[in-house]
């Protein structure tokens, strides 16, 4: 056993050669949550209520009570979130192996394609084209799908709700099957409110990212931000959900350790 790898990391952080990038949106009551058809139970947005703020309710302290859906804001999906992962061992956020929440990040940038097509579907062919340009996706990676959808937060286009449901990009079953079965990814992360496309309920199987990822014991991340600050490969993601007993997911702070861009000497 040697401390050298951790010392190298700390030296990189101290020198600025390793940057810490926040991939998290601010939790606030107006952050949009997924909207399901009205016959289903709904995801509650974040709520916050002041307990005291250096006043008669608590003269020297400030604090709030909060409540929210497990799936509000930037959040983590555990295998138990979907029926396909219902009977897997260690399938909830309190039980999952913590080793799983740190891993290499690859960023599949399809923001240009998505800019012209809110229903852009990521396919196996897209992933293979990315690998031809950037090399194979490493085992146990977090695959982050860059769409620049995070920049639409605060506009109706973020959820993209129309009469026929939501419109936002996402993967098809072939892409997720490839990532899980042939690349052994640990999870799939998106900028949108779900790991599936807005119209993913009409895919086969319905909601393929949820169905395949969670059925294989893999994880989802949603409502990510700042993916445009990550390189295609080389970053490390840390995504540890809250330890909610039997929890299906949780809001969390997602961080990326990123090699700093080399400084051009002047
Ligand atoms: Mn979710």
């Amino acid at each position: 056993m040697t401390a050298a790898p951790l010392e190298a990391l700390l030296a990189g952080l101290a020198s600025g050669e390793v940057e810490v990038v926040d991939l998290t949106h601010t939790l606030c009551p107006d952050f949009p949550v997924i909207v399901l058809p009205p016959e289903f139970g709904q995801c509650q947005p974040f709520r916050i209520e002041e307990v005291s703020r250096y006043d008669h309710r608590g003269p020297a302290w400030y604090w709030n009570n909060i409540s929210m859906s497990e799936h509000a804001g930037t959040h983590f999906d555990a295998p138990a979130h979907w029926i396909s992962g219902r009977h897997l061992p260690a399938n909830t956020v309190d039980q999952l192996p913590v080793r799983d929440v740190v891993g290499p990040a690859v960023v599949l940038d399809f923001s240009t394609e998505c800019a012209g097509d809110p229903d852009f579907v990521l396919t196996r062919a897209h992933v293979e084209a990315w690998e031809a340009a950037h090399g194979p996706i490493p085992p146990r990676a977090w695959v982050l799908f860059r769409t620049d959808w995070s920049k639409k937060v605060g506009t109706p286009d973020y959820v993209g709700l129309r009469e026929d449901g939501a419109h936002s990009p996402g993967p098809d079953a072939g892409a997720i099957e490839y990532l899980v079965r042939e690349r052994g990814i640990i999870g799939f992360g998106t900028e949108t409110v779900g790991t599936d496309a807005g119209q993913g309920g009409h895919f086969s199987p319905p909601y393929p990212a949820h169905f395949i990822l969670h059925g294989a014991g893999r994880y989802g991340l949603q409502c990510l931000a700042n993916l445009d600050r990550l390189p295609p490969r080389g970053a490390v993601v840390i995504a540890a959900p809250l330890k909610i007993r039997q929890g299906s997911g949780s809001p969390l702070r997602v961080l990326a350790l990123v090699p700093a861009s080399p400084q051009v000497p002047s």
Side-chain angles (χ1 to χ4, degrees), residues 39 168 205 241-242:
E39 63 269 31
S168 55
L242 296 177

Side-chain angles (χ1 to χ4, degrees), residues 48 50-64:
I48 185 164
E50 193 172 274
V51 180
S52 73
R53 196 163 189 163
Y54 331 116
D55 54 25
H56 69 281
R57 299 168 299 173
W61 50 92
Y62 166 53
W63 51 1
N64 301 298

Side-chain angles (χ1 to χ4, degrees), residues 71 75 77 81 222:
H71 298 255
H75 71 275
D77 282 5
H81 179 42
Q222 294 113 105

Side-chain angles (χ1 to χ4, degrees), residues 34 43 69-73 75-78 81-82 193-195 210 214 220-222 248-250:
I34 199 163
C43 177
S69 166
E70 291 173 328
H71 298 255
H75 71 275
F76 185 104
D77 282 5
H81 179 42
W82 219 251
V193 293
T195 49
H210 284 86
H214 302 322
L221 287 172
Q222 294 113 105
S248 75
S250 96

Side-chain angles (χ1 to χ4, degrees), residues 35 44 47 50 58-59 101 112-113 116 127 142 152 235 241 243-244:
V35 178
Q44 290 296 328
R47 298 176 190 165
E50 193 172 274
V101 305
T112 303
E113 290 81 352
V127 178
W142 279 100
K152 298 178 187 286
K243 198 169 182 178
I244 300 167

Side-chain angles (χ1 to χ4, degrees), residues 19-24 225-227 229-230 236 254-258:
E19 288 178 332
V20 183
V21 174
D22 191 354
L23 304 186
T24 321
N226 293 326
L227 295 188
R229 293 182 56 195
L230 303 189
V236 173
V254 183
L255 302 177
L257 304 177
V258 179

Side-chain angles (χ1 to χ4, degrees), residues 80-96:
H81 179 42
W82 219 251
I83 194 164
S84 52
R86 181 179 183 178
H87 297 301
L88 292 176
N91 61 354
T92 50
V93 285
D94 54 324
Q95 297 178 313
L96 61 86

Side-chain angles (χ1 to χ4, degrees), residues 25-46:
H25 284 287
T26 301
L27 262 181
C28 58
D30 50 359
F31 193 88
V33 294
I34 199 163
V35 178
L36 298 183
E39 63 269 31
F40 297 123
Q42 300 295 327
C43 177
Q44 290 296 328
F46 179 75

